[in-house]
Amino acid sequence: MATSSAPGKVYLFGEHAVVYGEPAVPCAIERRARVTVEERADGGLTVDSQDLTLDGFTIEYAAEPGDAHVDVPEHLLEAATGYVDEAVAQARDAADAPAAGFDVHIESEIPLGAGIGSSAAVVTAAIDAATRELGVELDREELADRAYQVEYAVQDGQASRADTFCSTMGGAVRVEGDDCRTIPAPDLPFVVGYDGSAGDTGRLVANVRDLRDRYDFAANTVGAIGDLVRSGEDALAEGDLERLGELMDVNHGLLSALGVSSRSLDAMVWAARDAGAMGAKLTGAGGGGCVVALDPTEETETALEYTPGCEEAFRAALAEEGVRRE
């Protein structure tokens, strides 16, 4: 039996634009997904989660394709299992064990589909635990690449390396196309607000792509996000939190122009700003989910707790450590 955990993430800057080769800076946060894997001899696969969705689910696949027991609503099946299925396939490939069976148990502190890296954390931890259970130790670069291949497959080729690289490495990272690296960062006073919903990442990415293809202003907006990220890197290196916050505000405005914000996200962003946050923006694909703010005081967290539509507000420390064995 092997257990691994990996952190979620928030974007300081760059979501959506990173899909088109622009830079992005995500930061790992101390909310983790833990995956325990035990090999089984019959070649079957059981996936059990009590935290990944509100009610939890258990799915048991038999060794023969097409024969499965499922106690999760059908419309959640693909979203809840696609990432795990692909992660298991990557582990089998890495260990040259195509017939290996597993019992997989998932515990996650990260809301599913909320824009803070639930799928990347589960995938990264699952590949690490499953390969170790089969006696194979992957280095972090290969692990990050295999985790990316999972998201690329499940998201129909529209994924970037940002989430999985961040979850694997921890800390702050910079991603621009295939160029992925860790970067130094000061202690960032993250506050996260969550509206209890999940955006449809595939639909939102496709909508931005359609806008970008049809309108020059949308293509220019994507490019402007890339330029903003480059300015943000300088502010991050200098530890200039005021400037970081200002750029986060601008980034949210650009994302709103691309149509990926929502009424609940905007309400939380403005509640954070009105409470004195240095900056606030949506994080992830948008359409619902989470916002991230910079505020070392308690004011933003308190304001978000009283904001209509905000289901949860919490402080999120920077996770210096990425994937790890438990």
Side-chain angles (χ1 to χ4, degrees):
M1 182 182 297
T3 300
S4 296
S5 76
K9 63 92 185 70
V10 293
Y11 274 94
L12 269 180
F13 323 103
E15 55 268 88
H16 282 286
V18 71
V19 176
Y20 304 100
E22 298 290 350
V25 178
C27 299
I29 58 171
E30 277 300 350
R31 282 220 164 185
R32 288 185 168 263
R34 292 172 177 82
V35 180
T36 298
V37 177
E38 185 171 10
E39 189 177 7
R40 51 192 282 179
D42 63 1
L45 175 64
T46 299
V47 181
D48 173 74
S49 171
Q50 299 307 312
D51 302 290
L52 196 57
T53 65
L54 183 62
D55 298 320
F57 63 87
T58 301
I59 300 171
E60 184 171 357
Y61 302 80
E64 293 299 320
D67 184 9
H69 166 70
V70 182
D71 67 357
V72 65
E74 183 67 26
H75 71 281
L76 293 177
L77 177 60
E78 184 175 353
T81 64
Y83 291 103
V84 179
D85 287 347
E86 291 290 338
V88 167
Q90 285 289 335
R92 287 169 170 160
D93 179 71
D96 194 23
F102 300 103
D103 290 325
V104 180
H105 179 73
I106 301 167
E107 298 173 289
S108 182
E109 304 166 341
I110 310 166
L112 184 66
I116 55 174
S118 174
S119 63
V122 168
V123 164
T124 303
I127 295 174
D128 188 63
T131 52
R132 289 196 296 107
E133 176 70 356
L134 295 175
V136 175
E137 296 275 351
L138 299 181
D139 62 40
R140 287 181 184 267
E141 286 72 21
E142 182 177 357
L143 177 59
D145 182 65
R146 287 187 176 275
Y148 162 68
Q149 297 301 331
V150 170
E151 293 216 317
Y152 186 88
V154 176
Q155 296 176 21
D156 297 323
Q158 299 191 94
S160 80
R161 294 182 180 272
D163 288 18
T164 45
F165 186 77
C166 186
S167 191
T168 302
M169 302 299 178
V173 304
R174 182 191 191 277
V175 175
E176 185 172 6
D178 291 337
D179 180 12
C180 305
R181 64 188 71 175
T182 59
I183 57 176
D187 185 20
L188 296 168
F190 291 131
V191 181
V192 176
Y194 173 44
D195 69 5
S197 71
D200 184 335
T201 298
R203 177 181 61 82
L204 290 158
V205 171
N207 287 349
V208 171
R209 185 178 297 278
D210 179 61
L211 274 179
R212 182 176 175 272
D213 289 344
R214 289 192 294 124
Y215 297 110
D216 288 343
F217 84 83
N220 292 338
T221 300
V222 169
I225 292 174
D227 293 338
L228 181 150
V229 175
R230 295 178 183 95
S231 295
E233 290 179 76
D234 294 337
L236 189 64
E238 296 163 7
D240 188 343
L241 299 189
E242 293 289 343
R243 189 176 172 206
L244 284 175
E246 179 183 42
L247 292 170
M248 288 172 67
D249 289 344
V250 175
N251 198 169
H252 182 78
L254 294 172
L255 291 168
S256 294
L258 292 173
V260 299
S261 190
S262 68
R263 183 171 298 179
S264 61
L265 295 176
D266 286 341
M268 290 189 291
V269 162
W270 280 106
R273 292 176 186 172
D274 288 344
M278 289 176 279
K281 59 181 285 294
L282 68 84
T283 178
C290 290
V291 302
V292 59
L294 289 182
D295 190 352
T297 77
E298 297 178 0
E299 299 302 316
T300 291
E301 185 176 0
T302 300
L304 287 171
E305 288 171 349
Y306 288 96
T307 300
C310 180
E311 182 175 288
E312 183 183 6
F314 57 91
R315 189 164 293 283
L318 184 70
E320 298 288 355
E321 189 176 10
V323 66
R324 70 186 182 209
R325 63 176 59 186
E326 298 285 346

